[in-house]
Amino acid sequence: MTTPPKRQLNGRLIAVVAATAVAAVAIGGALAYRQGPESASSTLAAPLGGTPSPTPAPTPSTTPSPTPMLTSTPVVVPTQTPKPKLSLTPKSTTPEAPSGPVALEAAKLTQGRDPQLAYRFDRTVLGAGKELKVPSNGSLMEVARLGSSVLATTSGGDLLKVGSSGAVVSRTPHVMTLAGTADQSAVAYATTPPVVVGQQTYGATLYADNGSSVKSLDLPDVQSIYVLAYTKETIYYKASVKGAETTLKLYSWTPGAAKATPVKTVTGDAMAVSQDGRLASALPANNTGDGCSTVVEIATGKKRFKTCDYRVTGFTPDGSVAIATPAYGDSYCSNIITALDSRTGDVKRQWSGCFYEATAEDEQNLLMVAVVAGGGQDPNTKSTVVRCSLDTATCERATGIVAAKQIDFAR
């Protein structure tokens, strides 16, 4: 910071002396200098704009100064304006509210560490364990890890369990939904009867597999079912039942219990449940066309916030941040990923680009599948997984740039 020029006090100081006129002028100048602002170490703030004009030098007078006379008039010293003091209060470390989305150019980001959770490139499952390729000719729908094994649903409706050697150790038909616990200790999935065109089919069986034992629950009236989350002790799923086929409701089931429990505190179409089972997001029921998301506390039904700008699709593990996409999608990817305060709905961070999916890696970071080139059905599409910090909004690539047609995170 440039120190502003020192302004010398204008006014002559009259001293009681018995000297010549020249000595009087010199003494007055010396006194004036001592009364000016302090030099280079001044704590004055820099000017708000422009460069201060220098104080013009006085024009020398050709008229001789009269010899000062002795006087009893007291000397008047000009009053100095107090200098502003710098605040000693430390600068806040709370992230400032964003002024707008951070434009993310994935191809220009530096390479960071690999994702710390399981993900897949087409039929290869990586991260959080050994790399395994699922031996299937068709495309995969969802994947989850169970210890050293991988479970994957196929587009044909089969659930494949792949052992650590890469061989399929079991196959379960008619499975279209799958989710695992965060610590990879258990998975939940559901079987449904095959769809018959022109007929209403009902019934489902919900399973909980911890690797050593499997528990199940028959749901004879269910028409459609989707597993949303498997917390440490509870499976959350949504389903429509006979007589209310167009309405999806949220249920919870503790493996081993004789029946599931409707979650009456969450109304509408549940979209996500936090890993700790405390929060849920939901859209209005019955396809009203209202894209507004509501975040509620499952235990009490207390509404945290409602937003019509974003669709809440997930939460960080501690539930402090809600992950959201635009309320209404208009292309093959989301153009903005938003991190919302899960208590107030306020925007914490935003990134713009072209994203297929976003999930929380941990409490501090989000992982996003970002399109680098192409997109949609373009056969030359290239994508990557990007990690972005919730604290600083800075990003890095968590994988290389690949030509994989499907990049997804394990559930």
Side-chain angles (χ1 to χ4, degrees):
M1 178 184 298
T2 303
T3 305
K6 292 186 288 235
R7 297 177 179 270
Q8 302 297 331
L9 296 177
N10 291 329
R12 297 179 178 175
L13 302 180
I14 304 175
V16 181
V17 295
T20 64
V22 175
V25 173
I27 294 173
L31 289 173
Y33 177 80
R34 286 196 296 270
Q35 292 166 353
E38 295 176 5
S39 61
S41 62
S42 172
T43 58
L44 285 172
L48 293 179
T51 302
S53 301
T55 303
T59 304
S61 174
T62 56
T63 305
S65 300
T67 303
M69 302 296 294
L70 292 177
T71 176
S72 60
T73 302
V75 175
V76 178
V77 180
T79 303
Q80 289 181 283
T81 302
K83 294 175 293 184
K85 296 181 179 180
L86 290 178
S87 172
L88 297 179
T89 304
K91 185 178 180 180
S92 173
T93 57
T94 302
E96 297 180 357
S99 57
V102 176
L104 195 154
E105 297 182 73
K108 297 181 179 180
L109 297 176
T110 57
Q111 188 76 35
R113 63 176 183 173
D114 292 340
Q116 300 302 291
L117 49 76
Y119 63 102
R120 70 182 176 96
F121 288 156
D122 293 332
R123 292 188 292 274
T124 301
V125 181
L126 310 97
K130 182 180 178 180
E131 177 180 327
L132 284 176
K133 186 172 182 178
V134 178
S136 171
N137 294 327
S139 60
L140 304 183
M141 302 299 290
E142 296 174 334
V143 298
R145 280 195 180 273
L146 178 60
S148 60
S149 301
V150 166
L151 278 76
T153 56
T154 69
S155 57
D158 288 339
L159 174 66
L160 305 179
K161 185 174 184 180
V162 182
S164 58
S165 65
V168 175
V169 296
S170 67
R171 183 186 300 265
T172 306
H174 310 309
V175 176
M176 299 298 291
T177 181
L178 168 71
T181 58
D183 62 2
Q184 305 175 21
S185 64
V187 294
Y189 57 92
T191 59
T192 56
V195 175
V196 178
V197 178
Q199 295 183 15
Q200 295 277 18
T201 56
Y202 298 95
T205 303
L206 183 62
Y207 294 90
D209 184 349
N210 65 9
S212 58
S213 65
V214 179
K215 297 178 180 179
S216 62
L217 176 69
D218 289 332
L219 303 167
D221 293 333
V222 164
Q223 184 183 50
S224 61
I225 184 171
Y226 182 77
V227 180
L228 285 172
Y230 194 167
T231 66
K232 285 187 175 181
E233 299 177 351
T234 306
I235 297 169
Y236 290 90
Y237 68 92
K238 61 181 178 179
S240 62
V241 298
K242 187 180 297 184
E245 286 83 359
T246 61
T247 302
L248 290 166
K249 293 185 178 181
L250 182 64
Y251 298 84
S252 66
W253 177 55
T254 300
K259 62 180 181 179
T261 303
V263 182
K264 297 180 180 180
T265 55
V266 180
T267 59
D269 183 4
M271 299 299 293
V273 172
S274 61
Q275 287 183 14
D276 56 11
R278 295 176 55 228
L279 300 177
S281 69
L283 298 175
N286 300 324
N287 300 317
T288 61
D290 181 355
C292 303
S293 284
T294 302
V295 172
V296 298
E297 296 178 2
I298 293 176
T300 64
K302 178 183 177 182
K303 182 171 72 175
R304 289 281 185 90
F305 69 87
K306 179 179 180 180
T307 174
C308 295
D309 295 323
Y310 309 103
R311 176 172 295 189
V312 176
T313 59
F315 301 91
T316 51
D318 60 0
S320 64
V321 173
I323 306 166
T325 60
Y328 300 95
D330 57 0
S331 67
Y332 58 85
C333 63
S334 298
N335 61 356
I336 290 179
I337 298 297
T338 303
L340 303 171
D341 187 312
S342 67
R343 292 193 174 276
T344 64
D346 294 339
V347 174
K348 294 172 67 70
R349 298 292 181 195
Q350 283 186 313
W351 297 269
S352 64
C354 182
F355 309 101
Y356 285 144
E357 190 178 357
T359 191
E361 183 181 39
D362 49 38
E363 285 81 0
Q364 290 81 36
N365 300 287
L366 299 188
L367 293 176
M368 312 174 196
V369 179
V371 176
V372 175
Q377 300 301 314
D378 186 341
N380 298 315
T381 296
K382 293 184 178 180
S383 307
T384 184
V385 176
V386 171
R387 175 185 294 107
C388 292
S389 167
L390 291 169
D391 292 333
T392 64
T394 56
C395 301
E396 65 183 11
R397 287 201 310 272
T399 70
I401 298 173
V402 297
K405 294 180 180 179
Q406 291 181 313
I407 302 178
D408 197 7
F409 301 111
R411 298 187 66 240

